[in-house]
Amino acid sequence: MNTTFSCVGCGKCCSGHHVPLTLDEARMWASDGGQVIVLIEAFLPNGLGLPVAQREHAERRSAVVRSGTSEALVAITFAAYNAGPCHNLNADNLCSIYERRPLVCRIYPMEINPHIPLNTAAKDCPPESWETGPQLIVGGKLVDQELAGLIERSRQADREEIGIKERICASLGIHTTALKGDGFTAYLPNMEAFAAAIDLARSQPLQPQASEWQFHLSGDDIASQVMASGARVVTEAPVNYAFISLRAA
């Protein structure tokens, strides 16, 4: 498969998308008046909720935490919350922070997850974006080495920062996750508290946390499997988060 790409400046990728951020980018986003959304998923040591082929990648970007009598591997994503147009997008569909825009914005339209191939039909870009421009993929392989380096930087940050992200969540009272493949829990923390939590977490040596996590699940059938593994399952309605189900209706 060969793929070319040329941005036509339509601005569609800058609207309605939650953009994953590194820790530095999340702190900058909060300082710039933006909102960060915290998206959380986890799987169990027995592999429940995780395809075998994805396990190595998932483990490397997860923190090991307690849940009931079991452990869970929790993946935490800090993302720019863009329910509509990004607050950095100006009237001319130009990025007002272009020189310091997040890594994922620089990587677009490529994916940062190695298990998600580029699917042009799933992108918001108009057809003409794919008709001309530099080659991205030749014979199914990414050929832009600069872009490959940015993707690796993003993945590396994801792996290196998971411990401090878990500490930040603990300080914000965030302790409910979804099961990977079943959904996400989504939090919209106060940005002053979020920025303060980042600064505090960074000022202290990283040590193992004693926080207890629980699972919010889409149905009783999945809940029974998680509880059988010894993990804690929440039964109350969400108070400070939303549950985003990935389960087919």
Side-chain angles (χ1 to χ4, degrees):
M1 179 187 75
N2 296 342
T3 303
T4 60
F5 176 76
S6 179
C7 178
V8 297
C10 68
K12 291 181 179 179
C13 63
C14 303
S15 183
H17 294 283
H18 303 327
V19 179
L21 303 169
T22 67
L23 202 57
D24 283 342
E25 292 167 351
R27 184 63 178 84
M28 178 192 74
W29 206 262
S31 297
D32 285 352
Q35 174 69 52
V36 173
I37 186 171
V38 181
L39 300 167
I40 309 175
E41 59 179 351
F43 64 97
L44 298 174
N46 64 7
L48 182 63
L50 179 71
V52 174
Q54 298 182 21
R55 182 159 189 136
E56 180 181 0
H57 172 70
E59 284 182 342
R60 295 181 72 186
R61 63 183 301 268
S62 300
V64 179
V65 300
R66 291 188 297 106
S67 179
T69 59
S70 181
E71 290 182 336
L73 290 92
V74 177
I76 301 164
T77 299
F78 293 163
Y81 179 70
N82 295 321
C86 173
H87 75 289
N88 292 308
L89 190 68
N90 66 26
D92 297 318
N93 280 337
L94 298 175
C95 177
S96 61
I97 60 164
Y98 188 80
E99 296 302 323
R100 58 187 179 96
R101 67 195 187 282
L103 264 177
V104 168
C105 297
R106 298 171 186 269
I107 290 166
Y108 189 87
M110 293 300 297
E111 303 287 352
I112 55 175
N113 187 327
H115 299 287
I116 301 178
L118 173 62
N119 179 3
T120 60
K123 300 294 181 179
D124 291 335
C125 308
E128 55 266 30
S129 299
W130 311 103
E131 294 171 356
T132 61
Q135 289 185 317
L136 281 182
I137 298 173
V138 176
K141 294 184 178 180
L142 177 64
V143 294
D144 186 326
Q145 292 307 301
E146 181 179 356
L147 191 52
L150 292 176
I151 293 172
E152 182 51 36
R153 275 178 56 192
S154 177
R155 292 175 182 169
Q156 188 66 24
D158 218 16
R159 296 188 288 260
E160 293 177 349
E161 295 174 352
I162 184 58
I164 197 167
K165 285 180 179 178
E166 202 274 326
R167 173 184 285 181
I168 291 165
C169 285
S171 68
L172 293 172
I174 294 174
H175 54 76
T176 302
T177 179
L179 182 69
K180 187 172 179 64
D182 188 49
F184 293 90
T185 53
Y187 296 80
L188 290 172
N190 173 275
M191 284 295 92
E192 289 187 7
F194 179 76
I198 291 178
D199 294 341
L200 179 62
R202 282 178 151 174
S203 69
Q204 300 174 341
L206 189 60
Q207 297 177 344
Q209 294 289 305
S211 54
E212 169 86 7
W213 284 74
Q214 59 190 8
F215 283 84
H216 184 121
L217 302 159
S218 65
D220 292 341
D221 54 340
I222 297 177
S224 64
Q225 295 179 64
V226 172
M227 287 188 290
S229 299
R232 183 180 175 189
V233 174
V234 63
T235 55
E236 297 83 8
V239 175
N240 63 336
Y241 66 93
F243 176 73
I244 303 172
S245 178
L246 297 178
R247 195 172 189 180

